[in-house]
């Protein structure tokens, strides 16, 4: 089983904590555990005589005491230097990554804590953690592999040591360990890299490093000297051969029973014993001045067969501490490499191949013909760690917000917004352009890129619009999952929204039917004889100016103020929601059952994506911020005219619980296997119509400094783009580098005076046949939208979404006019029929534009009066002469100013079918006064939204909805007819 988060946190409390796991339990030990004398390897140096030769290897090494081992000064100095160097490296790493705490995991069989104790002491000096996993002595290979696999995937563990009997370490076990965590250097890959001299990429066995460290700490050159390695072949022997060869020594390897053993030892300047068994080297074989290094795992004792006349056992130098220090150095190096891997680099993304067909099949046929990558594979390719994703099946996953902490020092990538000209009712393909662009950037230009899209509502999916996953060969897959429940975010919003609605009506009923005392006793009940306020109730008391925490001390007046919200049923602004187009819920009466005692009132349902909670999800930057925003939501007014919030209802914590998973963006992929975040889907009229701030922030970190994040704004640039800049960018602190403005010949012909178009009806001939005059006249709208983008100081690239009825002359004309109107570039795009390859020129244009100087600025100062902010948008963006406030709108503005909401940004709610408030006025209307019928506020989301005309928040189904074509094959479970 994987170590729990709680256990990991417990371990962090001990600088050198260890975890012992058996089949039945897990125990945590601190560094105060019993001390175990240990020495798993020793350096034996023969100094020959009192007059040593300056040219000998052994002459430079002197001896001293270290605990119950005899340790030479060279060893002490080496250990001290390595500890200091490792501490400095850790300090540098933790300066940029404060949460980093490298961990060494030791897997062992049985209860022998020999290796653990030495490594705990060394880890404590450097500042690392040690985790010990004790398996039963009789553990199987499969049990060892199971533990290794878990540690492989634990991103908090940076080193793994297998302290197991040799019989338990066949290649199958050793090579299960990830080479980057193999700090003992025993895997085939690490040994192979060492042999090839690739020391910067491999880990050297610490005992072998200890040998080389000591041999290198004297003034005698090792070049040309002879070394003999005695023992059985294994990783240590191979490592030593490679290291000694790298010092230009002559290296001989011999078995104990070799006929030439005596001759080899007599000639050797260095004798390295890697395994002893019952064998020993006779004293006469070792020549004066030679170094004898014993790396045997057996403890050295006085019974070692080196008589005093050759070498006194008291002069044995323990290299166990040195090997432990070098092992910790490897853990630090592993942590450093891990940190470096999190920095920007080009993804090693396996893109999916496309084979476009002509004619282009339906979207769902194209989607189903492509086999998506497993979502965990995609996550790994883009640099996500295994504990940063929560898979929902094979093709989608939630991404945890902890990623922002891990990559907070990483520079952001380039930020690209896709907007559009004023569209026809058919839509002009912003989502399709967005997907085509990222497919081109990543699959064809080999640049890191991410698309960030809104989650589509079930209402349009089953109503008029159909699917919203892009289209043709530029779409998100699987498109049926994208368009339906996805990971349940909209359902979570529906549940949270309706919980608030239920709380409102219940509170109105209870206050109307109970005395203050009865209300107080029920709101603050006695549990086991004790009454206490909940934290949210204490917060309400504080807002009322009551600084008491004992329920028994409130006065009668304070009790009345506490228990009575006094919500005016006529001034409740909070509506229920459902994610279905249901026109008969636009106005309803609630409370008609006898149990509600005649407390009826009129209310309505909105579609779920119109909920303020959806807007909050799209603008929040974390759980704490989201909870605060949810608490600030104003649900109505009291009879005294005071705002009543979700905090006052006491429901904030419950809302946060319902939304705790919805706050995580959903990872999916395009047809070409490039990553997509799908998150949030606020209405683009009464809300800001953009995907989430969190998705954009996560994506900007993942793509790295040279990568691109492409996000989409709803409706035309006059609505979605303006709100993106003035609302979303204020909330996020992010600044876009490029605006991609989507246009179609079809929409330009409409703005040039072409006949109206509607969904489901055949296109008039003007839209099918070439008509340069209509196109040229309609480009007035394109020019205006380019000017709007330039108001914010951002470069513009025009993406002409080409349809099969468009002629080359029409395409050339649009691109030329766009460039003449100030666009950095204008490119014809064929992604719908060709995929990313059809948008390569657009991708190049975006890449070039992103390097231009950016003078981003907001359109207005938040401290301007509400009326002036509305007027600024109406005149500078829409082209109105002025605004006209209804008496109701003026009264609302006065109220919002009185309540302190005057510094919020403005989210205009108007038709998307015209720059003006009149849907039938195409092109660039002028000379009009913009009427402001009403002004409302989403205080939790953080904006004021004026209503221009009548805005429906509950769409209705047409005579023939999309659901007529949607079906499920009961045999194959395939969905048909989504689009």
């Amino acid at each position: 089983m994987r170590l729990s988060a709680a256990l990991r946190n417990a371990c962090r409390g001990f600088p050198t904590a260890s975890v012992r796991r058996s089949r039945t339990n897990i125990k945590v030990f601190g560094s105060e555990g019993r001390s175990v004398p240990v020495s798993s390897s020793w350096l034996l140096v023969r100094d020959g005589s009192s007059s040593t030769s300056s040219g000998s290897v052994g002459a430079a090494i002197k001896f001293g005491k270290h605990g119950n081992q005899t340790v030479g000064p060279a060893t002490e100095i080496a250990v001290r230097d390595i500890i200091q160097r490792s501490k400095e490296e850790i300090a540098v790493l933790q300066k940029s990554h404060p949460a980093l705490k490298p961990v060494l995991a030791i897997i062992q069989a049985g209860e022998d804590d020999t290796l653990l104790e030495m490594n705990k002491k060394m880890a404590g000096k450097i500042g690392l953690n040690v985790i010990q996993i004790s398996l039963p002595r009789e553990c199987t290979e499969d049990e060892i592999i199971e533990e290794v696999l878990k540690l492989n995937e634990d991103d908090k563990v940076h080193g793994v040591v297998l302290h197991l009997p040799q019989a338990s370490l066949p290649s199958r076990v050793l090579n299960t360990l990830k080479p980057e965590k193999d700090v003992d250097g025993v895997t085939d890959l690490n040994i192979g890299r060492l042999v090839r001299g690739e020391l910067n990429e491999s880990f050297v066995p610490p005992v072998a490093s200890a040998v080389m460290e000591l041999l290198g700490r004297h003034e005698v050159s090792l070049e040309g000297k002879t070394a003999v390695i005695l023992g059985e072949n294994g990783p240590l022997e191979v490592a030593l051969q490679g290291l000694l060869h790298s010092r230009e020594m002559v290296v001989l390897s011999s078995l104990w029973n070799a006929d030439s053993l005596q001759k080899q030892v007599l000639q050797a300047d260095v004798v390295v014993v890697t395994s002893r068994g019952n064998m020993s080297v006779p004293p006469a074989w070792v020549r004066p001045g030679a170094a004898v290094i014993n790396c045997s795992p057996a403890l050295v004792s006085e019974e070692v067969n080196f008589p005093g006349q050759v070498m006194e056992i008291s002069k044995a130098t323990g290299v166990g501490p040195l090997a432990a220090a070098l092992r910790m150095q490897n853990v630090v190096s592993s942590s450093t490499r891990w940190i470096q891997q999190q920095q920007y680099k080009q993804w090693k993304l396996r893109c999916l191949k496309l084979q476009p067909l002509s004619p282009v099949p339906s979207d769902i046929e194209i989607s189903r013909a492509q086999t998506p990558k497993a979502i965990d594979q995609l996550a790994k390719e883009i640099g996500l760690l295994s504990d940063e994703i929560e898979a929902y099946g094979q093709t989608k996953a939630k991404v945890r917000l902890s990623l922002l902490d891990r990559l907070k020092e990483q520079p952001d990538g380039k930020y690209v917004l896709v907007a559009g000209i004023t569209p026809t009712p058919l839509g002009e393909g912003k989502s399709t352009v967005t997907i085509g662009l990222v497919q081109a950037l990543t699959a064809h230009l080999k640049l890191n890129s991410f698309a960030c899209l809104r989650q589509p509502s079930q209402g349009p999916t089953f109503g008029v619009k159909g699917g919203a996953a892009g289209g043709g060969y530029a779409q998100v897959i699987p498109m049926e999952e994208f368009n339906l429940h996805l990971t349940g975010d909209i359902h979570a919003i529906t549940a949270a929204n309706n919980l608030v609605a239920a709380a409102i009506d219940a509170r109105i009923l209870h206050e109307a039917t109970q005395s203050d005392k009865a209300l107080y006793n029920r709101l603050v009940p006695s549990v086991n004889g004790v009454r206490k306020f909940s934290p949210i109730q204490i917060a309400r008391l504080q807002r009322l100016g009551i600084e008491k925490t004992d329920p028994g001390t409130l006065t009668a007046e304070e009790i009345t103020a506490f228990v009575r919200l006094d919500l005016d049923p006529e001034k409740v602004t909070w509506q229920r929601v459902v994610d279905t187009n249901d026109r008969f819920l636009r106005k309803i009466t609630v409370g008609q059952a006898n149990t509600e005692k005649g407390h009826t009132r009129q209310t309505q349902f909105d579609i779920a994506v119109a909920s303020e909670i959806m807007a909050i999800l799209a603008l929040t930057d974390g759980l704490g911020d989201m909870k605060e925003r949810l608490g600030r939501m104003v649900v109505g007014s009291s009879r005294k005219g005071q705002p009543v919030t979700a905090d006052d209802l006491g429901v904030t914590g419950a809302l946060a619980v319902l939304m705790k998973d919805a706050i995580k963006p959903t990872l999916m992929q395009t047809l070409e296997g490039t990553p997509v975040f799908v998150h949030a889907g606020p209405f683009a009229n009464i809300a800001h119509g953009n995907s989430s701030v969190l998705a954009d922030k996560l994506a900007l970190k993942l793509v790295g400094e040279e990568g691109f994040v492409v996000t989409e704004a709803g409706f035309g640039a006059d609505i979605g783009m303006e709100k993106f800049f003035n609302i979303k960018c204020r909330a996020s602190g992010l600044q876009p580098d490029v605006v991609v403005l989507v246009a179609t010949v079809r929409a330009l012909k409409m703005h040039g005076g072409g006949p109206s178009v509607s969904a489901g009806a055949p296109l008039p001939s003007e839209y099918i046949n070439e008509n340069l005059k209509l196109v040229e006249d309609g480009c007035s709208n394109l020019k205006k939208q380019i000017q709007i983008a330039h108001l914010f100081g951002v470069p513009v690239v025009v993406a002409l979404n080409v349809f099969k009825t468009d002629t080359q002359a029409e395409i050339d004309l649009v691109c030329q006019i766009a460039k003449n109107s100030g666009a950095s570039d204008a490119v014809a795009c064929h992604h719908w029929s060709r995929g990313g390859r059809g948008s390569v020129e657009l991708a190049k244009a975006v890449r070039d534009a992103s390097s231009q100087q950016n003078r981003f600025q907001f359109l207005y100062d938040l401290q301007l009066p509400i009326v002036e902010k509305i007027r600024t948008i109406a005149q500078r963006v829409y082209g109105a002469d002025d605004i006209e406030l209804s008496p109701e709108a003026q009264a609302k503005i006065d109220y919002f100013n009185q309540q302190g909401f005057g510094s919020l940004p403005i989210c205009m709610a108007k038709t998307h079918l015209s720059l003006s408030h009149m849907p039938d006025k195409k092109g660039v209307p002028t000379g009009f006064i913009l009427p402001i019928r009403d002004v409302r506020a989403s205080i939790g989301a953080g904006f004021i939204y004026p209503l221009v005309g009548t805005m429906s928040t509950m769409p209705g189904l047409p005579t023939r909805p999309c659901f007529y074509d949607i079906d499920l094959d009961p045999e194959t479970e395939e969905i048909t007819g989504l689009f």
Side-chain angles (χ1 to χ4, degrees):
M1 55 187 255
R2 180 178 290 277
L3 297 180
S4 68
L7 182 56
R8 293 286 184 209
N9 291 332
C11 291
R12 293 193 190 101
F14 301 97
T16 55
S18 64
V19 176
R20 174 173 295 153
R21 174 184 295 142
S22 69
R23 283 199 178 102
T24 56
N25 56 39
I26 300 174
K27 297 179 181 178
V28 181
F29 297 89
S31 57
E32 299 80 7
R34 61 187 179 89
S35 175
V36 180
V38 59
S39 175
S40 59
S41 48
W42 297 77
L43 173 67
L44 309 179
V45 180
R46 182 171 191 266
D47 45 359
S49 65
S50 58
S51 58
T52 57
S53 168
S54 62
S56 69
V57 174
I61 303 178
K62 300 184 182 296
F63 299 90
K65 290 286 185 179
H66 183 80
N68 66 332
Q69 301 176 22
T70 307
V71 179
T75 303
E76 291 181 332
I77 294 171
V79 170
R80 187 164 58 247
D81 289 350
I82 292 166
I83 289 173
Q84 183 60 33
R85 184 164 62 244
S86 297
K87 288 175 67 174
E88 290 172 357
E89 289 181 29
I90 285 292
V92 171
L93 289 177
Q94 291 179 336
K95 188 174 182 180
S96 58
H97 298 79
L100 177 69
K101 187 75 171 181
V103 173
L104 171 68
I106 300 175
I107 300 179
Q108 70 177 54
E111 300 296 323
D112 180 8
D113 290 339
T114 296
L115 186 66
L116 171 68
E117 291 300 323
M118 178 176 291
N119 283 283
K120 279 172 59 177
K121 292 174 184 176
M122 202 60 64
K125 295 176 182 179
I126 296 172
L128 311 181
N129 279 344
V130 176
I131 296 174
Q132 180 196 37
I133 300 173
S134 290
L135 299 175
R137 282 190 183 277
E138 67 280 4
C139 63
T140 65
E141 290 182 13
D142 287 340
E143 288 177 301
I144 299 170
I145 289 174
E146 181 183 358
E147 297 297 337
V148 171
L149 290 173
K150 291 171 184 174
L151 295 173
N152 280 346
E153 297 305 315
D154 190 334
D155 299 303
K156 296 179 180 64
V157 173
H158 298 96
V160 179
V161 171
L162 304 178
H163 184 46
L164 299 161
Q166 193 64 34
S168 300
L169 293 174
S171 294
R172 174 173 174 256
V173 172
L174 289 176
N175 293 317
T176 299
L177 178 59
K178 279 186 176 179
E180 56 266 34
K181 296 191 178 186
D182 172 28
V183 291
D184 266 5
V186 295
T187 59
D188 289 351
L189 184 57
N190 273 326
I191 291 295
R193 285 171 173 168
L194 188 152
V195 170
R196 291 196 302 269
E198 300 171 358
L199 298 182
N200 290 334
E201 298 181 19
S202 65
F203 285 117
V204 177
V207 173
S209 292
V211 171
M212 299 307 299
E213 184 78 27
L214 286 174
L215 290 177
R217 284 182 177 264
H218 57 77
E219 299 176 358
V220 179
S221 172
L222 297 177
E223 182 179 350
K225 296 291 191 295
T226 299
V228 174
I229 303 174
L230 298 178
E232 305 297 329
N233 292 327
L236 178 58
E237 291 91 331
V238 175
L240 283 168
Q241 286 185 32
L243 293 171
L244 293 168
H245 274 303
S246 70
R247 299 294 296 273
E248 299 187 12
M249 295 183 71
V250 178
V251 183
L252 304 174
S253 184
S254 181
L255 300 177
W256 286 101
N257 57 0
D259 295 338
S260 58
L261 178 59
Q262 180 178 359
K263 180 180 179 182
Q264 291 174 348
V265 172
L266 281 169
Q267 295 174 345
D269 300 290
V270 177
V271 179
V272 183
V273 181
T274 59
S275 62
R276 288 185 51 80
N278 295 321
M279 305 301 293
S280 62
V281 177
W285 289 13
V286 182
R287 73 175 188 172
V292 181
I293 305 170
N294 180 15
C295 301
S296 170
L299 295 179
V300 176
S301 67
E302 293 185 3
E303 284 73 31
V304 173
N305 197 6
F306 282 94
Q309 66 266 30
V310 176
M311 180 178 305
E312 293 181 6
I313 194 62
S314 63
K315 293 182 180 179
T317 303
V319 296
L322 179 54
L326 288 162
R327 181 176 291 111
M328 297 306 147
Q329 181 174 272
N330 282 351
V331 176
V332 175
S333 297
S334 175
S335 304
T336 302
R337 295 176 190 176
W338 183 82
I339 291 293
Q340 291 171 346
Q341 289 172 358
Q342 312 313 309
Q343 305 306 310
Y344 169 77
K345 57 182 179 296
Q346 184 173 318
W347 295 334
K348 295 181 180 178
L349 198 70
R350 180 180 69 85
C351 294
L352 304 178
K353 300 299 182 183
L354 282 184
Q355 295 180 329
L357 302 175
S358 183
V360 177
S362 70
D363 291 351
I364 199 164
E365 288 176 310
I366 293 172
S367 173
R368 191 168 292 138
Q370 184 67 286
T371 302
K373 293 182 286 189
I375 199 65
D376 57 344
Q377 178 190 339
L378 175 63
K380 185 176 181 180
E381 289 174 345
I382 63 175
L384 285 166
L385 307 179
S386 58
D387 64 353
E388 289 172 341
I389 66 167
E390 299 169 0
Y392 281 63
Q394 295 296 311
T395 55
K396 54 187 182 294
K398 286 287 192 181
V399 175
R400 294 176 180 166
L401 305 187
S402 58
L403 173 68
L404 286 174
D405 290 330
R406 177 169 69 85
L407 298 183
K408 65 181 177 181
E409 301 301 326
Q410 175 135 301
D412 289 344
K414 305 291 185 180
Y415 198 25
V416 180
L417 174 69
V418 175
I421 65 170
T422 304
T424 68
L426 308 178
E428 310 315 307
K430 293 190 301 298
S431 298
T432 311
V433 169
T434 299
I435 300 304
L437 175 55
V438 294
Q439 288 180 178
L441 285 166
T442 298
H444 300 277
L445 296 188
K446 306 305 179 185
L447 297 169
N448 294 358
S449 76
F450 232 110
C452 293
L453 298 178
R454 289 180 294 168
Q455 180 183 350
S457 166
Q458 178 182 296
T461 298
F462 288 94
V464 176
K465 186 177 179 181
Y473 287 100
Q475 58 174 302
V476 182
I477 57 172
M479 68 92 73
E480 56 264 53
E481 294 186 24
F482 177 95
N483 284 303
L484 297 175
H485 304 286
L486 201 61
T487 49
D489 293 356
I490 294 180
H491 300 316
I493 289 164
T494 300
N497 184 100
N498 293 342
L499 178 61
V500 176
I504 290 169
D505 286 316
R507 189 61 176 261
I508 292 173
L509 172 68
H510 294 315
E511 287 190 23
T513 57
Q514 296 180 48
S515 66
D516 291 355
K517 181 179 180 181
L519 279 170
Y520 192 58
N521 288 337
R522 287 178 171 85
L523 287 171
V524 193
S526 176
V527 180
N528 296 325
V530 177
R531 297 181 72 186
K532 64 178 182 179
F533 295 117
S534 67
I536 200 168
Q537 289 176 325
I538 291 175
R540 170 161 168 76
L541 287 169
Q542 291 172 346
R543 287 195 300 274
L544 292 170
I546 302 171
E547 299 297 330
K548 296 178 180 179
T549 58
D550 183 354
T553 61
L554 265 64
T555 66
E557 291 77 11
E558 289 171 340
I559 288 174
T560 299
F562 172 72
V563 301
R564 296 213 173 266
L565 302 181
D566 200 25
L567 256 169
D568 187 342
E570 298 299 321
K571 294 181 180 179
V572 171
T573 56
W574 194 264
Q575 317 295 354
R576 289 167 171 81
V577 299
V578 64
D579 198 33
T580 301
N581 291 358
D582 193 342
R583 65 176 69 247
F584 281 87
L585 294 178
R586 290 172 177 170
K587 186 69 68 177
I588 62 172
T589 301
V590 295
Q592 297 188 80
N594 293 334
T595 52
E596 275 55 74
K597 304 176 182 178
H599 290 281
T600 62
R601 69 179 184 91
Q602 280 199 337
T603 182
Q604 68 184 56
F605 270 80
D606 294 335
I607 196 163
V609 292
S611 170
E612 184 177 351
I613 296 177
M614 175 63 89
I616 288 173
L617 178 66
L619 291 171
T620 190
D621 64 3
L623 273 171
D625 176 67
M626 182 178 71
K627 187 176 177 181
E628 289 179 7
R629 288 174 179 269
L630 291 170
R632 291 198 302 266
M633 293 187 306
V634 174
V635 302
S637 298
S638 71
R639 288 183 171 86
K640 294 181 180 179
Q642 295 301 308
V644 177
T645 66
D647 264 350
D648 292 325
L649 286 169
V651 75
T652 305
L655 299 181
V657 168
L658 288 171
M659 294 293 294
K660 71 179 182 65
D661 291 321
I663 198 174
K664 304 165 191 171
T666 299
L667 176 66
M668 295 187 75
Q669 63 193 283
T670 69
L671 277 167
E672 297 190 54
T674 67
V676 178
F677 272 140
V678 186
H679 199 217
F683 241 32
N685 47 22
I686 66 166
H688 63 294
N690 286 265
S691 63
S692 77
V693 165
L694 281 170
D696 291 358
K697 285 189 170 184
L698 289 168
L700 285 164
K701 294 299 183 186
L702 285 168
V703 299
E705 192 170 9
E706 302 301 319
F708 290 81
V709 171
V710 184
T711 190
E712 175 200 346
F715 293 162
D718 56 307
I719 304 180
M721 184 186 73
E722 182 270 316
K723 295 174 182 179
F724 174 87
F725 290 142
N726 283 320
I727 298 175
K728 185 176 179 180
C729 289
R730 288 185 198 272
S732 68
L734 301 173
Q735 295 186 3
D737 296 283
V738 184
V739 167
V740 174
L741 193 62
V742 179
T744 62
V745 168
R746 178 179 67 194
L748 294 172
K749 286 180 176 179
M750 180 191 69
H751 289 295
S756 61
V757 298
S758 59
L763 283 173
S765 61
E766 288 88 344
Y767 298 101
I768 298 173
N769 302 319
E770 183 177 289
N771 191 321
L772 297 179
K773 179 66 167 62
L774 284 180
V775 172
E776 184 175 9
D777 291 347
C779 279
S780 62
N781 187 273
L782 175 60
K783 294 177 187 178
K784 175 63 175 176
Q785 303 286 14
I786 294 172
Q787 291 169 9
I788 294 171
H790 285 163
L791 288 175
F792 298 91
V794 183
V796 178
V797 173
V798 171
L800 184 62
N801 189 15
V802 175
F803 292 173
K804 62 182 179 180
T805 55
D806 300 342
T807 68
Q808 191 60 48
E810 291 172 331
I811 293 170
D812 292 343
L813 177 61
V814 174
C815 291
Q816 188 58 52
I817 291 175
K819 293 175 186 177
N820 294 341
S821 301
S824 300
D825 206 345
V827 180
C829 303
H830 302 271
H831 43 270
W832 183 79
S833 59
R834 303 177 194 171
R837 191 174 301 280
S839 282
V840 169
E841 293 306 313
L842 174 63
K844 291 178 179 178
V846 168
R847 181 188 59 190
D848 294 343
S850 70
S851 63
Q852 296 179 16
Q853 188 172 4
N854 190 329
R855 298 185 178 88
F856 177 74
Q857 61 184 3
F858 296 117
L859 187 65
Y860 52 78
D861 190 304
L862 287 180
Q863 300 311 312
L864 278 177
I866 293 175
V867 172
E868 290 307 310
K869 286 183 281 195
I870 297 172
R871 181 175 284 115
T872 299
I873 296 172
Q875 292 179 334
R876 301 191 67 189
V877 177
Y878 307 152
D881 287 347
D882 204 349
I883 62 173
E884 182 180 63
L885 295 175
S886 70
E888 183 181 6
Q890 184 62 62
K892 290 285 189 66
I893 290 173
D894 294 342
Y895 174 74
F896 294 146
N897 285 328
Q898 176 192 347
Q899 296 300 325
F901 304 147
S903 62
L904 293 175
I906 302 300
C907 184
M908 299 290 284
K910 81 168 186 69
T911 179
H912 62 290
L913 297 175
S914 172
L915 283 165
S916 73
H917 60 288
M918 301 166 283
D920 58 332
K921 298 296 183 182
K922 306 302 180 182
V924 184
T926 58
F928 63 94
I929 303 296
L930 192 74
I932 308 301
R933 178 176 62 85
D934 194 7
V935 180
R936 299 176 185 172
S938 292
I939 304 305
F943 52 73
I944 303 289
Y945 62 99
L947 298 180
V948 182
T950 301
M951 290 291 112
S952 174
T953 54
M954 171 54 79
L957 290 174
T959 304
R960 192 186 189 284
C962 293
F963 62 63
Y964 274 84
D965 301 311
I966 298 172
D967 202 358
L968 178 71
D969 187 317
E971 298 296 331
T972 64
E973 296 187 6
E974 284 190 348
I975 298 170
T976 57
L978 268 177
F979 204 71

